[in-house]
Amino acid sequence: SVACVEGDCMNGEGMATYPTLGASYYGTFQDGYPHERGVVTNAAGRTMIITHYKGIPWGPAALELVDDEKRDYLHLEFQSGDLAKATNFYVPKYRLYYKGLIDDFMPYREGRLYGRGVDAEVLFHEDGRIKGANGKLRYQEGVYYEGKLQWKDNDFTFSERGTLHNENNGTRIDMTFLPNGKPSLQQMSIWRNDTVYVGPVDENLQPHGERGRLMHNGRNFRYGVWKHGVYQGKYGQQPA
């Protein structure tokens, strides 16, 4: 909320402060909201010329965003009515930034959501809910998931099929997922450089079960029964 300190902060020109942000705004207002062009000054005294539409930043501006992540600009451009094209538009519902069309300040049809390690191309329902997504979830430097995504329990998680990459040790795991978002342990492909294991695994993603195949440079190296990462032989008898 804003507190008017000078002029007409309802429908005119005035100055207001944002007590929770330690910032102030000087410019025009409409229905009690900053509207059209004005100047924002933060607690450190830095100023920024910015355009608002009924309290929403609307137009080019230099901003510093969350998590020390800096982007060059936020830009919203009217297309027709409430339909607009957005870049670096923050969507509180998803706690992510958005690039694409918006309708009444919600994502519309399709666009890109990013931030917090997420970078995804997303399809939306007419009411702004997520219909489906495909992209990346980054966990730490060099470790990320790439593939189908779903919005569940207020965050993105795995869906259907994808690949977990670990560039730090050269590992890549191709996996499919159950409806509950957990990986299917019945069949995975685990790559490390020129070696690949194809078959069932345990909960720690170690080879485990029958008909597991270990190949190197495209040739069979070991085939048969595995127990928690240890080869047991073709028919389950551990080789001498």
Side-chain angles (χ1 to χ4, degrees):
S1 61
V2 299
C4 188
V5 295
E6 180 183 313
D8 184 356
C9 301
M10 184 56 66
N11 289 288
E13 187 174 282
M15 176 181 288
T17 60
Y18 301 82
T20 58
L21 300 177
S24 66
Y25 166 82
Y26 179 81
T28 57
F29 291 79
Q30 179 175 307
D31 298 328
Y33 294 100
H35 188 68
E36 298 182 342
R37 195 169 181 130
V39 176
V40 172
T41 304
N42 65 14
R46 297 176 61 185
T47 61
M48 175 175 60
I49 297 174
I50 189 169
T51 302
H52 288 82
Y53 175 76
K54 295 183 178 179
I56 302 295
W58 195 268
L63 297 176
E64 292 184 4
L65 306 181
V66 297
D67 300 328
D68 297 325
E69 184 176 4
K70 295 183 180 179
R71 302 194 181 276
D72 291 335
Y73 60 89
L74 162 69
H75 189 79
L76 299 175
E77 177 185 327
F78 272 124
Q79 302 292 300
S80 62
D82 288 329
L83 191 63
K85 184 187 295 184
T87 303
N88 297 328
F89 183 73
Y90 186 67
V91 185
K93 180 178 181 180
Y94 301 124
R95 295 172 290 120
L96 294 167
Y97 292 91
Y98 173 74
K99 180 178 181 179
L101 289 178
I102 61 173
D103 185 14
D104 196 20
F105 304 113
M106 286 299 296
Y108 181 70
R109 291 187 178 173
E110 59 182 307
R112 176 173 161 240
L113 286 172
Y114 49 94
R116 299 188 295 104
V118 176
D119 193 344
E121 297 294 331
V122 184
L123 295 176
F124 297 92
H125 292 284
E126 292 297 320
D127 60 2
R129 290 181 300 112
I130 292 175
K131 182 187 298 185
N134 194 78
K136 289 184 179 181
L137 300 178
R138 191 171 298 277
Y139 302 102
Q140 62 187 60
E141 186 67 30
V143 180
Y144 63 93
Y145 166 85
E146 185 173 25
K148 292 282 187 179
L149 302 171
Q150 63 175 328
W151 183 259
K152 185 177 181 180
D153 297 329
N154 294 317
D155 218 339
F156 275 112
T157 187
F158 318 118
S159 178
E160 296 184 24
R161 62 188 178 278
T163 302
L164 184 65
H165 298 261
N166 188 334
E167 297 176 346
N168 302 317
N169 61 18
T171 300
R172 187 180 88 237
I173 306 176
D174 298 330
M175 54 184 71
T176 57
F177 296 92
L178 304 173
N180 62 6
K182 293 184 178 180
S184 171
L185 303 181
Q186 300 305 309
Q187 184 77 5
M188 285 192 188
S189 298
I190 304 176
W191 301 76
R192 177 168 290 185
N193 300 320
D194 296 327
T195 301
V196 58
Y197 168 82
V198 180
V201 299
D202 62 15
E203 292 183 353
N204 295 315
L205 305 185
Q206 295 295 314
H208 183 74
E210 300 178 354
R211 301 177 184 175
R213 186 184 305 274
L214 184 68
M215 295 180 287
H216 182 71
N217 288 330
R219 296 184 178 181
N220 282 344
F221 182 59
R222 286 179 175 173
Y223 172 80
V225 179
W226 298 75
K227 186 174 182 180
H228 302 301
V230 178
Y231 182 56
Q232 303 294 307
K234 188 173 182 180
Y235 302 106
Q237 298 178 347
Q238 191 169 7

